[in-house]
Amino acid sequence: MSKKQPYMNAGAAILFVIFGLLFFVLLFRYYSIQITGEVGGQPLAAKAQQKYNREGTLAAARGEIFDRNGEVIAEDTAAYTLIAIVDKKMTTNPKKPQHVKNPRKTATELAKYIQMDETEIYSILTKGISKGRFQVEFGKAGKDITHQTKKEIEALELPGITFIRDSKRFYPNGMFASHVVGYADRVEQKDQTYKSIGKMGIEKSLNTELTGVDGKINYESDLWGYLLPDGKEKITPAKNGNDVYLTIDKKIQTFLEDAMNKVAKDYKPKKIIAIVADPKTGEILAMGQRPSFHPKTKEGIDKSWHNEAVETSFEPGSTMKIFTLAAAVQENVFNPNEYYQSGSYKVTNKDKAIHDHNGSGWGSISYLEGVQRSSNVAFAKIAKEKLGFERFREYLTKFGFDKPTGIELPDETSGKIQFTYPIEKITTAYGQGTAITPIQQIQAATAIANGGKMLQPHVVEKIVNHDTGETIKEVSPEVVSTPISAETASKVRDILETVVTSPKGTGGRYKIEGYSVAGKTGTANIPGPNGKYIKGVNGYMFSFLGMAPKDDPKLIVYVAVQEPVLEGLEAGQGAIPVSGVFNPVMQNSLHYLNIQPSVLEKASINKMANLKGHSVTDTVKDLKEKGFETVVLGNGTEIIGQLPKAGTTILEGEKVILQTNGELTAPDMTGWSLRDVMKVASLAGLKLNSKGKGYVAQQNLKPKSPLKEGDFLIVDLKTPEEQWNEEKEASADKGKEQTDDKEQKVKD
C-alpha cells in the first residue's frame, strides 16, 4: 500500500492540474464573450436577433386600370397556389396528420378540381416522398386557384394539402382592347419572390406607375416563428401602385369588338385594324385588331404580338389623298371645276406611267370627280403641277407623318416616307410607296375634323394615387401642329362628303342614316415575301377613314381590313367588310353619345313655335288640333323645355316632346322611332343606348318610373318585319303547346 501511495498522489496532482487548466480556459472564454459579445468573430447578439427577430413582407397591390367612366379593365385579385406537404416530420400527432399519408386518394380527389390527370398528380406526390422533399407543387395546374376552388378543396380535409396566397392580374372583360391594355406576368425575382411585370400595352408602358412598393413587418418571435406576446413590432406600410384611367370608353370599345368579331367570322381576313377617336381632344375611345388575344390565358398571342395601330407602318392607299387634298386647298391651288385627262400620267420620260385604278380612266373629268372616283392621276398632277414637290413635302411634316405621335403605348414606330425620286414623290401623294401607321392617320385627320388644329392622340386620361385618390397626372388635349386653316378644313370635309354621297364616289357604302359622313376610301397594295406586290382581286389592304357629323365631327373612325375572303360578285369589293366595321361602330357610337342627326328628311313645312312658359293643358290641346302627337314629361303645369326646338321644321308624324316643371317620368316608348327616343333622352339628360334598327320593341325604364339625369336609357329596336316574324313564331309555339296538351290529356 505504501508503495502505491506516491503514484496515486502524483496522478491526482496531474488530474488537478488538467482540470484546473480547463477551468481557467472556460473562465477566460466566458469573460471574453461577455466583454466582446462575439463568438468565432460573429456577434452573439446579432445571431440571437437573427434567430428570434423575423421579417415579413406586406405585399403591395398593382394599380388598377379603368376606362374613362371608371369601369374596371384590369385589377389584382386573390389567387392561390396549391402545395402538398410530403415530409413525415411535419406530423407530431398521428391522429392529426400534417403530411400526405395516402398519395393515391389525394391524387384521385385533387384531379376533380385541377386540370391535371390523377396519374400525374400521384407521380408528383410519390417522387417528392422518395426524394425526401418537404413539399411539392403542381406546376401551372396548381397555380391561380380561385377562392371558390380553394374552399372546395379545403372541405375535403386532405392531410398535407394547403395553399400559398398570392395575387394575379384579372381582366374582367376578356378579349377587350387587348393590345392597348396589354398584360402583366408574375415574374420570379432573385429573392425567389414573385412580382407582376407589364409585358405589353399600358401594363408595359406605365409599369413603373402601376407597380407598388412592398411594405415590411419586423417582429420578435419564438423558436418556431410565432409572434411573442410582448414582442416589439415595426411596420413599414406597403405603397400600392397608382391607378390609371384610360380614354377608352367601354361601350364604344364593345361596339368595335362586336363588329370586328362579325367581320372576322364572315370574311376571314388576315388582319383587321380599327380606331375610334375624339377629334376635339385627341382621345382614343376605342382601338382593336384581329387577330387578338385573351390577356389572361394568352390564347392567340402568338398570332398577334404587335399592336398594329402603333407598331406597324404600311402603305395607306387612297386615305392618304385626304392630306394631299388638304394641302392643295390650303395653298389655293385646288379648283374642283377644273378638268384634266384621267387614265395615266408620266412623271418623267424615264419613268413608267402611273394609272388610275380602272386602267383607262374616265376621260376628261373635273378634279372634284377625280377625288370622288379616287383617281391616282388627279393626285399625281396635284402634287407635281399644283403644289410642287417641295411644298408637298413640307405638308407631310406638318401632318406629322415623319415622326411618331408620342401616344402612351410602347414600341411606337414612325412613318417611312419615300421621297427621293420623282416617282416616289408622286406615289406618296396617293398613298403608295410611303408607309405610315394608322395612329398617324388618326392624328392627321384631327386637323381636318377640328378646324385645322392637329391634336396628339392619347389613351391615358389621368393617373391617380390608389391609396389617397389624389390625381397625380392629368393629360390635357395638346395641339401639336396647325397644318391648315379652319376654312380649309371645312372645305375639305365638304369635298370628302361627296365621296360618300355622289353616285360617282367610291364611298357609297359608308352612308349612315341620319348623319352626314365625310371620308375617303383606301385600297393599298401589300408587299409579298419576294418584295413584289401580292396579286389577286382581294390581295389588298382595304380601308376607310371617316368622320361624322360632317359639319362638326364628334368622331373619327379608321378601319383597315387585309385580304378578306370575298367570293362571287363580292370579289374585289373590299368596302363590304370595311363598312361592316365602320358603319355599326360609327352609328352606335353617335347614338350612345347622344349626337343629334345632322341630316333631316324634308317633309311638309311646319315651323315649331316657342312653347316655353305656356300652359301644358292649353298647348297639348292646340297641338292636337293641328294634328301633332304630343308627349308630356312630368306632372307640372308649365312647359320648361321642348323638342323639336322653336323655329325648326317639324316632320309629319313626328312627336312633340314637352318637358314640364314637375317630376319627370318615363313614357311608354313602344313603337317609337329612334329620333323621338333621342328627344326624351336629351330633355331628361339620359344616356341613350340603342340596339337594332326600326322601332322600339323594348325599353329598360318602365313607363311612369322616375327619370333621373345620368340614368341609362336602353331601347331595343326592331323592324316591322322582325316583329311580325317574332309574333308569328310565338303564335306557332303557343299552338304547338296547346296541341301537345291535348295529346297528353288523351294519353292520360
Side-chain angles (χ1 to χ4, degrees), residues 222-242:
D222 61 16
L223 184 63
W224 307 104
Y226 291 104
L227 189 68
L228 292 173
D230 298 322
K232 297 177 181 178
E233 294 180 44
K234 184 181 179 183
I235 298 174
T236 305
K239 183 182 178 183
N240 294 315
N242 296 321

Side-chain angles (χ1 to χ4, degrees), residues 62 65 74 169 171 178-185 196-211 244 246 293 305-307 311 408-412 460:
R62 188 173 177 83
I65 301 177
R169 204 62 168 160
Y171 301 91
S178 299
H179 291 82
V180 175
V181 180
Y183 69 92
D185 268 347
S196 289
I197 305 293
K199 296 291 185 179
M200 183 188 284
I202 289 297
E203 292 274 32
K204 178 180 178 181
S205 61
L206 296 184
N207 185 65
T208 301
E209 288 81 357
L210 288 163
T211 301
V244 175
L246 302 181
F293 71 96
W305 183 254
H306 301 289
N307 184 336
E311 296 180 52
E408 309 95 333
L409 290 170
D411 307 317
E412 183 186 6
V460 175

